[in-house]
Amino acid sequence: MESDSGLIRYRIVAQRTDPAHPGASVVTNYTYARSVEEAVAKVRRAKEKPDGLYGDQGLYRVVEAVEESPQSEARQLQAARGRFLAAVMDAAVAALDDQSASARPELVGVLSEFFFDTVFTRAIVSPDSGEEHSQLYARDGQVLSRLLLAHLAHHGLDLVEAEARRPRDDEDSEAPAELIEQVLAVCEQHYAAVTGTSSEQWDREPARELVDVALRTVRMTKRETYPQALEAYLHEHRARLERLWRRYGPGGMFAGELVLIALPGFLVLCERIETSPLWLEGIWAKHGQEETALERLQNSWLYHTSEDGR
């Protein structure tokens, strides 16, 4: 919500850094500010005084700063709908034995009303509201897939059959070493431009590992041209990347919160987060990567890189 002066209300959550400290493990404060950075700064100034709640500086660290406004709630709801639609789209293309698509942003507005009225409200929330809906509730993604395809066709958004189908047992195939190096080189070039750092400051092996994991979510038919596609994506989102670095890089308000940002390979993860989020999450967990690290990068990249800093 907004105050009379037009300031936005923020919820600031800090976590105790020293387990031996007798204070609360998590501390939540609320404040009004013009941006999330200003909100965090206000809370820190008020609470890190010698007699303040935080006590000694560094005893607590901010782990979450959330805007509490109707606009923020709307964005979170839209994001939740997008994730739901991505899951259903994956089921749809799987039913066609072609996993080439996921819910694109331009489809969200078209499909949201259909899914949340027909599928969610009638089929999931009220499964006993009639024989037809009860049958829909009892059946699996195949029914939802057919509904989706019919709806897409109605709006002139038919799925295009892939030139080559990716075998189901080939969902986690390792990319060629040459492709990994090409993609890593693209990441390093843009990383240097965004961060002002050089290759002497990077650890290439962990960065290469990130690229390897990310490329496992790129279809075989798209791998040959993926370096060019990634190049275009990073160029298009250069301003967002710079905002992300200013916020989470060294010297930023949230420095140290995103461990992956220290590696050039995180840039390919940003592209995969928007293109194949569910597939990436599955591959990431399968290969024993730290799930929290990916989750924090995902949230920051999707929701904390707007021009107004919210």
Side-chain angles (χ1 to χ4, degrees), residues 130-181:
E131 179 180 356
E132 176 183 357
H133 298 151
S134 179
Q135 291 175 352
L136 178 59
Y137 178 78
R139 299 178 68 179
D140 58 11
Q142 181 179 2
V143 173
L144 299 182
S145 300
R146 297 307 173 190
L147 285 173
L148 171 63
L149 294 173
H151 189 66
L152 289 174
H154 175 72
H155 286 275
L157 297 170
D158 296 330
L159 292 177
V160 178
E161 184 175 0
E163 297 177 359
R165 295 176 177 176
R166 178 170 53 81
R168 294 182 182 276
D169 60 356
D170 195 29
E171 294 181 355
D172 187 19
S173 61
E174 183 179 2
E178 181 180 359
L179 177 60
I180 293 176
E181 289 299 325

Side-chain angles (χ1 to χ4, degrees), residues 79-94 99 101-104 148 166 171-172 213-214 216-218 269-287 291 294-295 298 302-303:
R81 289 183 176 183
R83 289 191 294 271
F84 176 79
L85 294 176
V88 178
M89 178 67 85
D90 288 344
V93 292
Q99 302 184 18
S102 59
R104 301 192 302 273
L148 171 63
R166 178 170 53 81
E171 294 181 355
D172 187 19
V213 172
R216 292 171 186 267
T217 68
V218 178
L269 295 179
C270 291
E271 188 279 329
R272 292 285 87 194
I273 283 170
E274 287 198 320
T275 305
S276 301
L278 298 179
W279 194 0
L280 177 62
E281 289 174 10
I283 295 297
W284 187 265
K286 181 178 179 180
H287 286 267
E291 295 184 27
L294 179 63
E295 181 181 354
Q298 182 180 42
L302 295 179
Y303 311 123

